[in-house]
């Protein structure tokens, strides 16, 4: 049995704010996108909510990036190239096969590396590729008046709209998988508890530090 | 001789004749480019004798049988700007109206847009057919309605023969929308009441009233090829699908935008002007392709995760059994 303090307070605060904003954005976004279909928000309310949440999400993202630059949290996002593929494959085999045979977790979080390679790659993709795209296209909507008439010969707002939509769908997909994957810890709730309290518990492992 | 009496019975003959001579006359006059002035003066002098009385805004009487007030005033200004602006009163009305008091037998004079128009020489060339309009009109809510207020509904309920002017290509779209909606709003005042407006579900109602016609939602997208459909639909059959307009190929709006002239289209790129260039407009971001693909992928992912979870559950049960 070991306990590791993996998630400092600011990371947890950022994470749960982000989670809440994600849900609000998904719901208000769907209300705008599918307006007219039942059980959705009023259009005007949805726009206001979506814009507000989007602006807060932007602030949160900037905070996250700065936090990663000035604290040690950033090291979790630095890919160790040595053995990268092997680790990636091991982790994938675990999720695709080992997990059904009660195989031991191939990865144990430590304060040096709290994310397994698969997580790391996904989070980097989400936080440093998809999120900036989402935020940029969102702001492009807000300031579409200042956009050029066309981009690549197509109405520029349409380009923006389609990027925003595609990235939004990808992030919904991420969220679904993310919510599922966090249940694959030691017990179903291990990882969830870690993000709530900051402490990661692991019975099979001695503290490596 | 052009001013023949056109009324029930000899309508067809009279009209055809009058038009034949008018066309020749017009061609000649156009050569001398005197056409406009000449015919206006000619008609005006004739109309003047009628307008002497009928231009009075207050000329009206109360129908003794129905008790309703019949407005007898004709606005000369509106008339001269209307499609019928070049006609004299007596082109449509019996010449016997020259007498005053008007002879009693004229009281049953019945003038109908369709009857008068469908026999004309150029009936085939027009973009709209009065017969089609009539057919569509007969299926519209105003005709099928049982409401007593809609009992005498006819073309004249919406079109004042002395003022009606149809829209033409190249006109300002906003003006067309305003004119057309004014026709509907002249009766449907309940729409101005925020508590009774049946369009409360529609966001930005003011903006929509300025930008689209009632007709665009309240008529079917017909194949008749007519610029406007006259088959006004009841509320439940009307369009409430935002995407019909807020999309890359706005089906409903195509009818309205056909009035834009070619140069207008080329200069402005009306698609992007109309729908894309504003800030977020609903449905603009809708892409059936992306939506369908994404929803399918999400569904498959959920299924996959469910199956994965079930596999884990089985493994968990097995490990429990192994332990015991």
């Amino acid at each position: 049995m070991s306990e590791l303090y993996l998630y400092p307070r600011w990371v947890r605060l950022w994470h749960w704010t982000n989670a809440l904003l994600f849900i609000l954005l998904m719901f208000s976004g769907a209300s705008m996108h599918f307006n007219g279909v039942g059980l959705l928000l009023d259009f005007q309310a949805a726009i206001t909510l979506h814009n507000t949440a989007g602006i807060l999400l932007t602030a949160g993202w900037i905070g996250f990036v700065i936090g990663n630059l000035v604290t040690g949290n950033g090291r979790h996002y630095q890919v160790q190239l040595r053995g990268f593929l092997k680790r990636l494959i091991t982790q994938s085999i675990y999720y695709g096969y080992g997990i059904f045979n009660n195989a031991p977790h191939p990865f144990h979080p430590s304060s040096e590396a709290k994310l397994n390679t698969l997580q790391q790659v996904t989070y980097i993709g989400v936080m440093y590729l998809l999120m900036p795209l989402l935020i940029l296209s969102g702001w492009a909507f807000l300031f579409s008046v200042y956009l050029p008439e066309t981009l690549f010969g197509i109405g520029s707002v349409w380009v923006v709209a389609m990027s925003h939509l595609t990235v939004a769908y990808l992030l919904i997909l991420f969220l679904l998988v993310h919510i599922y994957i966090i249940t694959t810890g030691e017990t179903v709730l291990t990882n969830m508890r870690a993000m709530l309290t900051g402490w990661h518990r692991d019975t099979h492992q001695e503290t490596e530090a | 001789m052009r001013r023949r009496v056109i009324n029930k019975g000899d309508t067809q003959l009279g009209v055809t004749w009058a038009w034949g001579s008018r066309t020749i006359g017009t061609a000649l006059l156009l050569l001398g480019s005197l056409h406009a002035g000449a015919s206006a003066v000619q008609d005006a002098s004739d109309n003047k004798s009628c307008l002497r009385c009928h231009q009075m805004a207050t000329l009206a009487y109360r129908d003794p049988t129905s008790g309703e007030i019949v407005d007898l005033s004709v606005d000369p200004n509106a008339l001269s700007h209307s499609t019928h602006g070049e006609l004299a009163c007596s082109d449509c009305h019996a010449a016997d109206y020259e007498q005053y008091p008007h002879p009693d037998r004229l009281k049953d004079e019945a003038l109908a847009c369709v009857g008068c128009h469908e026999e004309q020489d150029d009936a085939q060339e027009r973009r709209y057919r009065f017969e089609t309009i009539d057919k569509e009109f007969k299926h519209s809510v105003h005709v099928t309605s049982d409401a007593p207020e809609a009992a005498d509904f006819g073309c004249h309920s919406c079109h004042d023969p002395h003022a009606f002017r149809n829209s033409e290509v190249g006109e300002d779209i906003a003006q067309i929308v305003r004119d057309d909606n004014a026709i509907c709003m002249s009766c449907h005042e309940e729409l101005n009441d925020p508590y009774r407006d049946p369009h409360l579900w529609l966001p930005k109602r003011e903006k929509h009233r300025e930008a689209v016609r009632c007709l665009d939602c309240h008529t079917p997208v017909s194949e008749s090829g007519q610029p406007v459909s006259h088959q006004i639909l009841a509320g439940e059959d009307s369009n409430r699908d935002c995407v019909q307009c807020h999309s890359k190929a706005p089906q409903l709006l195509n009818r309205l935008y056909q009035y834009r002239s070619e140069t207008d289209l080329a200069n402005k790129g009306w698609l992007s002007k109309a729908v894309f260039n504003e800030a977020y407009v609903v449905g603009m971001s809708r892409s059936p392709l992306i939506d369908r693909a994404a929803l399918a992928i999400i569904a498959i992912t959920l299924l996959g995760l469910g199956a994965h979870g079930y596999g884990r559950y089985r493994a968990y049960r097995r490990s429990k059994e192994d332990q015991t």
Side-chain angles (χ1 to χ4, degrees):
Chain A
M1 177 74 172
S2 67
E3 290 232 32
L4 262 178
Y5 189 62
L6 286 186
Y7 304 103
R9 189 186 300 254
W10 76 266
V11 171
R12 281 178 283 142
L13 190 70
W14 167 80
H15 176 272
W16 290 113
T17 318
N18 209 44
L20 177 72
L21 290 175
F22 246 72
I23 290 169
L24 292 179
L25 284 164
M26 277 165 59
F27 185 53
S28 57
S31 298
M32 285 153 74
H33 189 65
F34 294 111
N35 192 282
V37 184
L39 286 183
L40 295 172
L41 287 176
D42 166 69
F43 191 78
Q44 207 51 54
I47 289 193
T48 316
L49 179 60
H50 200 80
N51 290 352
T52 317
I55 292 167
L56 291 177
L57 189 85
T58 311
W61 183 79
I62 294 173
F64 176 80
V65 173
I66 294 178
N68 279 347
L69 288 176
V70 301
T71 73
N73 197 51
R75 69 176 174 277
H76 299 296
Y77 296 91
Q78 278 155 20
V79 179
Q80 294 291 230
L81 280 181
R82 184 141 35 90
F84 173 79
L85 260 183
K86 186 163 162 287
R87 276 180 282 127
L88 197 64
I89 292 168
T90 316
Q91 193 67 35
S92 306
I93 288 177
Y94 171 70
Y95 283 133
Y97 178 75
I99 197 168
F100 300 123
N101 296 305
N102 301 307
H105 272 266
F107 175 82
H108 296 282
S110 65
S111 46
E112 266 64 56
K114 66 178 178 188
L115 306 174
N116 72 49
T117 313
L118 202 57
Q119 275 176 322
Q120 199 184 32
V121 175
T122 320
Y123 293 168
I124 289 175
V126 166
M127 290 312 298
Y128 293 103
L129 184 70
L130 293 184
M131 286 288 280
L133 276 178
L134 183 80
I135 288 170
L136 274 179
S137 53
W139 283 90
F141 257 141
L142 286 181
F143 289 99
S144 57
V145 202
Y146 302 107
L147 292 179
E149 192 98 337
T150 56
L151 270 180
F152 323 116
I154 317 171
S156 53
V157 181
W158 191 74
V159 175
V160 167
M162 289 307 130
S163 324
H164 199 68
L165 180 68
T166 311
V167 173
Y169 273 128
L170 287 175
L171 284 172
I172 290 174
L173 212 56
F174 160 75
L175 190 65
L176 292 177
V177 177
H178 178 66
I179 290 172
Y180 176 77
I181 288 281
I182 58 161
T183 68
T184 62
E186 174 82 27
T187 73
V188 170
L189 287 178
T190 307
N191 291 341
M192 174 75 114
R193 191 180 300 120
M195 190 46 98
L196 281 169
T197 64
W199 290 92
H200 183 90
R201 255 190 236 170
D202 203 334
T203 42
H204 290 292
Q205 169 199 29
E206 288 312 307
T207 314
E208 286 165 34
Chain B
M1 264 315 291
R2 188 163 60 79
R3 288 191 186 112
R4 280 208 35 181
V5 176
I6 302 165
N7 59 22
K8 252 200 323 203
D10 72 347
T11 302
Q12 299 164 5
L13 239 178
V15 170
T16 327
W17 200 94
W19 281 36
S21 70
R22 165 169 283 265
T23 317
I24 298 165
T26 307
L28 291 173
L29 285 167
L30 266 176
L31 281 174
S33 64
L34 279 163
H35 166 238
S39 81
V41 170
Q42 197 180 29
D43 290 345
S45 65
D46 170 81
N47 287 356
K48 226 178 238 158
S49 66
C50 311
L51 286 172
R52 193 160 52 90
C53 298
H54 284 285
Q55 131 175 45
M56 280 188 287
T58 49
L59 191 64
Y61 71 96
R62 190 180 287 277
D63 189 328
T65 42
S66 72
E68 276 184 26
I69 296 201
V70 179
D71 183 0
L72 296 173
S73 72
V74 171
D75 178 355
N77 202 24
L79 178 62
S80 64
H81 286 102
S82 77
T83 42
H84 297 129
E86 292 188 14
L87 301 179
C89 311
S90 50
D91 279 339
C92 296
H93 293 286
D96 292 357
Y97 272 112
E98 307 235 321
Q99 304 168 24
Y100 189 82
H102 300 314
D104 264 355
R105 65 190 145 83
L106 295 178
K107 288 265 142 80
D108 349 307
E109 174 198 58
L111 294 175
C113 318
V114 182
C116 193
H117 272 276
E118 207 37 60
E119 284 83 20
Q120 290 167 8
D121 296 343
D122 64 342
Q124 306 297 326
E125 295 156 27
R126 277 195 305 265
R127 288 196 301 159
Y128 46 89
R129 303 289 318 273
F130 279 77
E131 275 171 359
T132 316
I133 292 179
D134 196 34
K135 228 176 279 158
E136 288 170 343
F137 170 68
K138 293 217 165 81
H139 288 108
S140 72
V141 276
H142 295 121
V143 176
T144 54
S145 167
D146 298 329
E149 313 95 287
D152 296 327
F153 220 89
C155 310
H156 303 312
S157 307
C158 290
H159 301 304
D160 180 344
H162 308 121
F164 175 62
R165 201 179 51 78
N166 57 329
S167 305
E168 272 161 29
V169 172
E171 276 180 47
D172 182 21
I173 297 280
Q175 187 61 43
I176 293 177
V177 170
R178 218 171 306 141
D179 291 348
D180 285 10
N181 287 358
I183 293 179
C184 310
M185 294 307 290
S186 68
C187 293
H188 287 283
E189 282 165 350
E190 77 267 21
L191 268 61
N192 286 327
D193 179 346
Y195 297 102
R196 287 165 65 214
D197 187 351
H199 304 99
L200 290 176
W201 47 273
L202 184 68
K204 303 265 186 189
R205 288 197 298 285
E206 274 312 309
K207 186 130 195 178
H208 280 107
R209 200 174 287 174
E210 288 160 14
V212 292
R213 296 176 300 178
C214 316
L215 285 172
D216 292 319
C217 292
H218 280 287
T219 59
V221 185
S222 63
E223 306 296 315
S224 69
Q226 306 245 92
V228 287
S229 168
H230 274 79
Q231 190 188 341
I232 313 290
L233 299 170
E236 65 262 30
D237 303 324
S238 300
N239 173 78
R240 67 162 77 221
D241 185 1
C242 323
V243 184
Q244 296 280 335
C245 295
H246 294 289
S247 64
K248 219 176 165 199
Q251 224 189 339
L252 293 181
L253 288 180
N254 284 346
R255 271 192 312 206
L256 176 58
Y257 291 156
Q258 73 195 338
Y259 291 112
R260 297 217 170 148
S261 63
E262 300 286 333
T263 48
D264 216 20
L265 295 188
N267 289 345
K268 288 197 188 140
W270 54 268
L271 261 179
S272 52
K273 265 282 185 306
V275 207
F276 297 152
N277 222 16
E278 292 294 315
Y280 186 85
V281 171
V282 65
M284 183 185 58
S285 66
R286 253 195 234 183
S287 152
L289 182 73
I290 296 183
D291 279 349
R292 232 170 278 154
L295 294 177
I297 293 174
I298 287 174
I300 292 170
T301 307
L302 282 176
L303 279 178
L305 292 180
H308 197 274
Y310 180 67
R312 275 169 60 207
Y313 175 70
R314 293 268 303 264
Y316 170 75
R317 291 292 298 272
R318 249 184 289 126
S319 77
K320 272 275 148 60
E321 278 162 22
D322 290 350
Q323 275 168 24
T324 54

